[in-house]
Amino acid sequence: MLVSYKWLKELVPELTATPADLEYKMSTTGIEVEGVTSPQEGLSKLVVGEILSSEAIPETHLHITQVNVGADEALQIVCGAPNVRVGMKVIVALVGARIADNYKIKKGKIRGVESLGMLCALDELGIDEKINPMKHEEGIFEMPADATVGDSIFSYLDMDDEIIELSITPNRADALSMRGVAYEVGAIYGLPVHFPTKELTEIQKRTSEKISVSVSTDKVPTYKIRVIEGVKIAPSPLWLQTRLMNAGVRPINNVVDVTNFILMYYGQPLHSFDFDRFGSDEILVRTAQDGEKLTTLDHIERDLTADDLVITSNGVPVALAGVMGGADSEITNETTTVALEAALFNGTSIRKTSQKFALRSEASSRFEKGVNEGLVTEALDFAAAMIAELAGGAVLQGVVESSDYQPKKVVTSITLSRVNAALGTNLNLDTVEKIFVQLGFGVTIEAGEKFVVEIPSRRWDISIEADLVEEVARIYGYDNLPSTLPLGDEAGELTPLQKLRRKVRTSAEANGLSEVIGYSLVTKEKATEMIAEKNFPTTSLLMPMTEERQTLRVNMIPGLLDIINYNQNRKNSNVAIYEVGNIFLPSTAQDGRPIEVPNLALAISGNVVDASYSHKATPVDFFHVKGIVENLLSGYEDLTFTATSEMPSMHPGRTAVIAANGHHIGFVGQIHPATAKKYDISETYVAALDLQAMLELKPAQTIFKEIPKVQAVTRDIAMLLDAKLTNADVISVITDSRVKTLTKVELFDVYQGINLPAHKKSMAYTLTFQTAEQSMTDDEITNAMAKITTHLIEKLNAEIR
């Protein structure tokens, strides 16, 4: 909602607060201000000029004009606009002026003719084409005939106004009108509001003799029509055009501009029809029939369904109710009789229609959020009086309406003690009563401290006690409410899962990873991309916003790959990221809601260390990522990494399943090259861990052992094994030998190739032995090695070398 400060000052005459003050005050009382701008910002040296003479340059579209700008001598300016004429008042950018896009006007020559300035159209002042009443090719803008030559143009075009942009939440749709904003500002500062009125003069002829109205659906509480005869369509006066442009609306003509003015002033959408193009004197408001068609004002034919509300004449739709009028009944330069509509439409129906046809308009947005049901007739009468004033028409007597609908009076009550208990304040009766009066609420006090409050129809968001508490709080000032600590017998603390998440984040960032937040909703293909099981059940939205955001993820890796793609496409080739979030697994519960499982996912691509003068680049590999995972799982017992080739989208030779105490907790490995190519990323390694499983398997406490007093002893062992066996297989057999003095097993060499049998490989390990109390003898060490060797031969058919 764009609010003109000049217009606001007319409605709240005693307002002295500056736009900057309003920006702060309104933002702290419940209506956020996006910002304050001025149309003249960045513009300079723009004055009113009068064309004294105009001479065409042969064989061109250009004219040499002499322009009076209030100086001693007229300026010679070359102009190519088609509408240049002698006596015309125009916008002149003097030499040195700044116009749109910070363009500076300089003295120059055009076709060899000296030009000392520029005659401007509105778009050259930065007026957006969406609200500009003139197209660029139509020529320069004509200023009012009474404009004083040499004056700045800003006051004439209301460009010296300041525009306050409000961010209106759905519950405060009352502020989608200047009257609503005026009430709000008046309440904040305790100032009275002043709303101008217009006297409506009607002729003897009755509207009911001209037209009839009926409604056949409960989605239209009331529908009203007035008729104005003898109108003359013309451009609106400049004050109305500039007021609409500052509100973000494009001026069209004096009739349509009035309906838009009322929309901004009252918040009540109106629509004007060319009565003579109706084809009937009977209007029926109904739901559309499947297959009916309507060509709207944008000249697009719409296929209607029974969900749409339409205005019909002679059985044919002439408007899409509350959204857009029909092209066959629009106001044109030939219009002489106007049928002016005001109505209340069901907001849900309007929202569905506007979404279906992608026709989001100022009118539809207000019907969706709600309008002041008590001012429908007043807004209609005000508009009729304005049209008669600006278009010279005669208003027929009376309003033809489907029903004399009146909004229900809303009365709610609250006690002073309840207000103070909710806000933690110690306000008195007079203070709270004054706040209700400032808001324009009717209030009486009963039983000593009970407020009985009558809510005006403009505040349809208020209906219960809690709403009154909120109103008192925001007008009293949220910053004036006392700060208190919550009451409780025990101090709060983090849950075990919160502690684990913090520990995981600290460890991941210590390993050089940066946290990201991905989307929980992805495509159905990406949701199950890392799942081996076919037709894995997922949870999808019935009405997703886009196809890319329709299914809840069951793995976070695809989201990380998208982020890597985004970075690498922008020349950020080294990416190390992680995410802590939830995945959504299928549930067997009757309600069908998925199970949310907390997870950690990480992905690294590119170099761990870039090349420099002293060393080569170190690209990421499996063991680097495995090391990060081992750091994350430090302290977990019986941690194993088992090679797997069963995971789709993962490299079959560089992927491992992670387990702790025999329980699966995740995986680590390289993204399959084909998958990496599909995502358009370089070689990438990923890991995923189940935080819930980590929490359940986490050791109760860390047990510290005293450092042994005796020296450890190491022995090396090399063996020839089947090439299919892994390091994990060998270590498992060695540790299963149950040699109590064995404290460490470390692989230091792997060889496969020349001089070895086919399908065989050599693996060498360093075994560390140590006791707590005394040094081991040679016999003890020999026996331990023999026991391990025997176990390796029996279990793995190893050939000791």
Side-chain angles (χ1 to χ4, degrees), residues 268-393:
Q268 172 64 51
L270 304 178
H271 187 70
S272 53
F273 299 96
D274 185 330
F275 180 83
D276 295 327
R277 300 173 69 190
F278 262 168
S280 171
D281 57 3
E282 296 181 0
I283 287 181
L284 170 63
V285 185
R286 59 172 172 81
T287 55
Q289 299 171 5
D290 291 333
E292 276 190 308
K293 297 182 184 297
L294 169 66
T295 300
T296 47
L297 287 172
D298 54 6
H299 301 288
I300 297 176
E301 187 176 71
R302 312 285 179 176
D303 293 320
L304 308 178
T305 67
D307 294 328
D308 304 318
L309 287 174
V310 291
I311 315 301
T312 68
S313 176
N314 199 24
V316 178
V318 294
L320 201 53
V323 179
M324 185 175 284
D328 292 339
S329 59
E330 70 175 318
I331 301 296
T332 66
N333 290 336
E334 288 71 40
T335 299
T336 58
T337 303
V338 172
L340 190 62
E341 162 200 288
L344 295 175
F345 298 116
N346 178 269
T348 301
S349 176
I350 300 302
R351 177 177 56 82
K352 289 180 178 179
T353 297
S354 65
Q355 284 184 342
K356 179 174 67 176
F357 293 122
L359 282 175
R360 185 79 175 171
S361 64
E362 294 283 357
S364 67
S365 66
R366 283 164 174 78
F367 279 126
E368 290 172 19
K369 297 179 177 68
V371 298
N372 186 347
E373 297 181 351
L375 292 181
V376 181
T377 300
E378 182 180 328
L380 179 62
D381 291 348
F382 196 103
M386 276 192 74
I387 291 174
E389 177 185 331
L390 300 180

Side-chain angles (χ1 to χ4, degrees), residues 614-760:
S614 61
H615 57 259
K616 295 181 179 180
T618 305
V620 65
D621 59 13
F622 174 84
F623 297 103
H624 178 80
V625 181
K626 179 174 177 283
I628 293 175
V629 172
E630 287 175 330
N631 285 339
L632 288 166
L633 297 174
S634 176
Y636 284 80
E637 298 178 0
D638 194 18
L639 190 64
T640 61
F641 293 81
T642 306
T644 179
S645 59
E646 301 298 323
M647 294 188 63
S649 302
M650 298 298 293
H651 195 300
R654 298 179 183 176
T655 304
V657 172
I658 308 169
N661 285 334
H663 295 277
H664 173 83
I665 59 173
F667 69 89
V668 60
Q670 180 188 343
I671 293 295
H672 196 288
T675 303
K677 183 177 180 181
K678 182 178 76 172
Y679 277 89
D680 190 22
I681 58 177
S682 59
E683 186 174 307
T684 300
Y685 291 83
V686 300
L689 296 173
D690 184 337
L691 294 182
Q692 189 63 45
M694 287 176 61
L695 184 64
E696 294 171 358
L697 298 170
K698 183 180 178 182
Q701 63 181 15
T702 302
I703 300 175
F704 294 92
K705 296 181 180 179
E706 186 178 351
I707 298 175
K709 299 176 181 179
V710 297
Q711 189 173 359
V713 179
T714 61
R715 292 289 186 272
D716 294 342
I717 182 172
M719 65 200 82
L720 200 62
L721 298 164
D722 191 302
K724 294 181 180 180
L725 293 174
T726 65
N727 176 54
D729 295 331
V730 176
I731 291 178
S732 177
V733 171
I734 292 174
T735 54
D736 283 348
S737 301
R738 301 188 182 280
V739 176
K740 294 181 180 180
T741 55
L742 180 67
T743 58
K744 186 178 180 182
V745 182
E746 186 173 2
L747 175 69
F748 70 85
D749 184 60
V750 179
Y751 177 74
Q752 187 175 4
I754 301 173
N755 299 327
L756 288 184
H759 309 299
K760 291 287 185 178

Side-chain angles (χ1 to χ4, degrees), residues 713 715 741 769 771 774-784:
V713 179
R715 292 289 186 272
T741 55
F769 300 92
T771 62
Q774 60 185 7
S775 298
M776 294 181 67
T777 64
D778 288 342
D779 289 342
E780 289 173 333
I781 296 170
T782 301
N783 291 336

Side-chain angles (χ1 to χ4, degrees), residues 506-548:
T506 301
S507 179
E509 288 163 14
N511 281 280
L513 278 69
S514 299
E515 185 172 13
V516 298
I517 300 176
Y519 290 102
S520 295
L521 289 166
V522 296
T523 63
K524 192 165 186 178
E525 293 73 23
K526 286 186 178 181
T528 57
E529 194 162 29
M530 299 291 166
I531 304 298
E533 182 182 338
K534 292 185 178 180
N535 300 320
F536 189 83
T538 57
T539 304
S540 297
L541 301 182
L542 290 175
M543 298 178 65
M545 294 180 65
T546 66
E547 291 183 4
E548 289 75 22

Side-chain angles (χ1 to χ4, degrees), residues 11-48:
L11 304 181
V12 190
E14 297 179 22
L15 180 65
T16 58
T18 65
D21 295 334
L22 282 173
E23 180 178 13
Y24 172 77
K25 197 67 175 177
M26 294 186 74
S27 292
T28 56
T29 54
I31 297 181
E32 183 181 356
V33 176
E34 294 282 353
V36 179
T37 58
S38 177
Q40 70 177 1
E41 187 175 351
L43 307 176
S44 65
K45 300 184 74 172
L46 296 166
V47 300
V48 177

